[in-house]
Amino acid sequence: MGTAIQARVCWATLAMLMAGCVVHDTRPLPKINATQASSEIPAEELLDVAVHVFDPGVPSEIAKNEQALNKKRIYPDIRAAESRYVAIMLRGTLENSGQWGAVRVCPENVQFVDVSVSGKIIESTGAKLALTVTVKDSSGRVWLNNKQYASAADTGSYKTDAALRARDPFQNVYSEVANDMLTAREALTAQNRRDIRRVTQLEFAKDLAPQAMDGYLSTDRKGLVSVTRLPATDDPISARIDRIRERDSGVVDTVNGYYANFADEMSVSYGQWRRASFEEIEKEQRTLNQARTRTYLGAAAIAASVFVPQQCGLYDYNCRRLSTGVRTAAAIGGAASILSGLKKYSDSKTHAQALKELSESFQNEVAPQVVDVEGRALKLTGTAEEQYREWRELLHQMYLEN
Amino acid sequence: MGKRARIGLFAGAMAVAVTGRGCVTTPPPVAESVVAGTSTPVAESGVTGSSTPGARSSSPLAAGDATAPDVSAPPSPNTPPGAPQNSTATATRAADDAAGVAGAVGATPGASANGASADGRATSASATTGSAASQTPDERRAALDKQLDDSLGAFDARLHKEQQKIAEERDARQATVSAATAAAMADGGTGSPTAAGASTAAGAAAASGAAATVGGSGAPTAAGAATTAGAATAAGAPAGGSGSSTAAGSPTAAGAATAGTSSAGGGGSSSGTGADGSSATAAAGAHRGKRGETRNSHAGDLKSDKGTGGTPNASGNGAPATIIPDGNDDDIVARRLRKAAELETDPELKDRLWKEYVEYKKNTQVR
């Protein structure tokens, strides 16, 4: 019976030690790169991509509860900035791969693009980035449906400022998304890709001149849009719509420029915040682990001092004295260990507090930038919308004239 | 001419004048014809779309004032087929505009039921209506096309302005970053000679832009020395050479002098040059300057972080370097090429991108 208890105590101690000594791997991660285009893609198959600003992923149920948000390490203003920054990073990865046409970051209301990417931030700290990404093409085909991507930070990027500038700590995530998009695109035939481009063009045309461009597209039962017929090559309305579409691209380009500038502007301080955040999280984690280990060990030592059965003989006084001494020492050591563990818990809170302060400071810095960029983007897209309304009317009149 | 005749003429003239003045307060009998589009004398009077003498006699209002048409007036028989719909619609809008303007400028009293006396806008609107109605379909299409063109042109101008603003912001930020980096480098710029004899960064000349020469191992040796020039030149100077290398500093305001190097091997030395404003090169030099030792490469570092800076020709193989033009007058394509070259980490590709950039700049300058 005694042996069994001893064995259990030993196993329990070992398990607790194992649990407390989880070592976080902070080595640089193997680098994943987006697959580069090895040959020229025909222009009519080159798909344009719109990366929409990501959903910041602030749970609505705790959106106003600052304590809960802090606990989850969610800082709404930082998330708002990240939702644009992540989109810009993904855009950069897609663009640099050479596999796509124009890749731009745009607001959600930009619809007429060959491939649109939208996503949500699940977790974003200096230590980890988790996203869900959905990719669709203009014909309604879903390429990636809420697929989750997550990666720990590549610590190599945190080593120097230059390394941080050169490669994002979460570049692997963006590269994975780009590679998955490429795989999905490769699954399509050349005809499919050409159709996607035509559908986009005709959808835009239909939006501008619904009467003139009616009947060119059809939607099947699954919701997939296909081209029924094409307008004549010298169709004047189509030519005019194409000219308007160039302006639409100009608007999207300009908005993309806003976001790019915004990301560029925040990148230095954001990088530093991420690095600091990573360090604080790491320290907090390490301290928490130490606290846990010490508390468990202390508890185990006290438990052992109490529950390990007496092995000495009735008249073996030396043994008894020794045993009592060991028990007392174990109890004292255990208590000291628990106290030390409690102190470590308190230290970990200091790190958490430091992270909170850092984040608040960065939030104060980045929040006005977000407001500014979003204001400008909204202003331009609003003006463009107004302009489209006028063009729609003109096209309608032209249609009537024709 | 007899006396009677003269009196008769005078009386007639007075009568016309009185009738004309009466037009100010009475509903214009011209509205119908304006809507109908019979507006030939418009050009003559330059004021109204009416062809009746009564309208022309409203010259007291001619200085900007006009008569807006009665929108409910029926079209005249000489209106081309198909025109009434459009002209009525346009006329309605014109009348709305006119009414709005009339309200704003203080319209002539009496302009209520059939029309509104308004300023020149109303006149031109009604004139347009009149002329539009008289146009052929082709002319109308051309007019619509022109309207679309104008609208697109105006929108283009706006977009262009916005894009220019974006480019300016980006350039300003890059200049600030360059200056800040160079200044930071200058602060820690007393680097010590390294074992490899590579050149070190010098920050002493930063503020004044004066040249600074720093020798590896105390003096320029075969192993390598780098001369760092301040803001003397606008562009990156030829770099390379087995014995020594020259780096031209930044043309930025800080005028910082930089010379970062990463050469660890003996013999051929290399230096980072301020090819494009020294921003990229400053980093390596700053590290060395601050620590006073050769910076070891880390596993996470990229090639761009190892002192080659932004130069395409920092290989130090003795080959003549390409002179990188100043990026101040870059257009958008050049800017993109330049940025791509700066950011590229693969030396071979980087070199090619720089060449591409230089080539492009040459071509644009020739043009």
Side-chain angles (χ1 to χ4, degrees), chain B residues 16 53 99 207 229 235 282 336 353:
Chain B
V16 167
R336 283 193 173 184
L353 281 168

Side-chain angles (χ1 to χ4, degrees), chain A residues 41-296:
Chain A
I41 299 166
E44 64 272 15
E45 293 174 27
L46 212 50
L47 302 177
D48 291 344
V49 182
V51 181
H52 294 298
V53 170
F54 275 50
D55 180 343
V58 181
S60 53
E61 63 273 14
I62 57 165
K64 297 213 170 131
N65 185 345
E66 199 183 332
Q67 214 170 1
L69 288 173
N70 284 341
K71 206 173 175 185
K72 284 182 175 270
R73 295 196 186 111
I74 295 173
Y75 306 96
D77 288 332
I78 296 179
R79 278 291 178 89
E82 283 172 330
S83 66
R84 286 148 187 90
Y85 188 84
V86 166
I88 281 285
M89 293 309 293
L90 182 56
R91 181 199 78 96
T93 308
L94 291 168
E95 196 171 59
N96 292 339
S97 72
Q99 303 277 10
W100 308 93
V103 188
R104 300 141 173 158
V105 172
C106 47
E108 197 56 48
N109 56 1
V110 173
Q111 327 160 36
F112 306 110
V113 193
D114 300 333
V115 180
S116 60
V117 180
S118 52
K120 186 178 179 182
I121 301 173
I122 305 296
E123 186 180 345
S124 177
T125 61
K128 190 184 174 186
L129 178 68
L131 310 169
T132 55
V133 176
T134 301
V135 182
K136 286 179 190 167
D137 63 33
S138 58
S139 65
R141 203 178 280 113
V142 179
W143 293 17
L144 299 174
N145 190 13
N146 256 347
K147 185 166 179 187
Q148 185 155 350
Y149 296 87
S151 169
D154 177 8
T155 53
S157 297
Y158 287 140
K159 283 189 174 161
T160 63
D161 285 344
L164 196 54
R165 272 198 302 272
R167 189 179 163 94
D168 191 272
F170 302 105
Q171 183 55 48
N172 285 357
V173 172
Y174 309 124
S175 298
E176 277 179 24
V177 177
N179 288 341
D180 282 352
M181 281 176 67
L182 183 64
T183 310
R185 193 199 67 187
E186 293 300 311
L188 302 175
T189 62
Q191 184 60 40
N192 288 151
R193 288 179 227 164
R194 280 195 289 272
D195 282 348
I196 289 172
R197 283 182 66 85
R198 281 191 198 124
V199 167
T200 315
Q201 192 182 0
L202 290 170
E203 276 185 336
F204 180 81
K206 197 179 170 187
D207 180 66
L208 268 185
Q211 283 173 310
M213 303 307 292
D214 193 31
Y216 290 104
L217 295 171
S218 65
T219 310
D220 68 9
R221 277 179 301 157
K222 289 179 187 169
L224 288 184
V225 182
S226 57
V227 180
T228 320
R229 61 195 174 94
L230 289 170
T233 46
D234 57 347
D235 180 26
I237 293 276
S238 293
R240 288 180 190 115
I241 290 172
D242 285 346
R243 286 168 62 204
I244 294 176
R245 196 167 175 220
E246 280 167 26
R247 271 70 187 185
D248 184 62
S249 303
V251 172
V252 177
D253 269 343
T254 311
V255 173
N256 179 67
Y258 293 150
Y259 287 128
N261 268 6
F262 163 77
D264 212 17
E265 205 174 330
M266 73 173 268
S267 64
V268 175
S269 45
Y270 180 55
Q272 285 163 356
W273 173 78
R274 284 219 282 209
R275 183 194 282 151
S277 151
F278 172 78
E279 283 165 5
E280 290 301 331
I281 289 172
E282 209 190 19
K283 280 179 195 164
E284 185 189 350
Q285 214 60 49
R286 201 182 306 138
T287 321
L288 266 178
N289 287 339
Q290 285 173 349
R292 211 171 291 136
T293 312
R294 289 177 194 194
T295 315
Y296 290 162

Side-chain angles (χ1 to χ4, degrees), chain A residues 31 156 159-160 162-163 165-167 240 243-244 247 250-251 253-254 257-258 261 264-265 376 380 383-384 387 390-391 394 397-398 401-402, chain B residues 86 93 137 140-141 144-145 147-149 151-152 155-156 158-159 162-163 165-166 169-170 173 283 287 295 298-302 304-305 339:
Chain A
K31 291 177 174 49
K159 283 189 174 161
T160 63
R165 272 198 302 272
R167 189 179 163 94
R240 288 180 190 115
R243 286 168 62 204
I244 294 176
R247 271 70 187 185
V251 172
D253 269 343
T254 311
Y258 293 150
N261 268 6
D264 212 17
E265 205 174 330
R376 287 174 75 179
L380 184 67
T383 311
Q387 197 68 61
E390 186 190 323
W391 291 338
L394 278 173
Q397 283 180 31
M398 285 174 189
E401 285 294 339
N402 286 331
Chain B
N86 285 338
R93 275 198 300 278
R140 279 198 301 275
R141 269 197 292 272
L144 284 171
D145 253 343
Q147 212 176 329
L148 181 65
D149 277 345
S151 177
L152 290 175
F155 194 67
D156 279 347
R158 185 183 169 137
L159 273 184
E162 284 294 322
Q163 282 168 353
K165 215 187 283 177
I166 292 170
E169 282 171 9
R170 188 179 50 228
R173 197 175 39 256
H287 280 297
R295 190 167 133 319
H298 296 292
D301 289 358
L302 294 182
S304 61
D305 187 31
K339 197 171 179 193

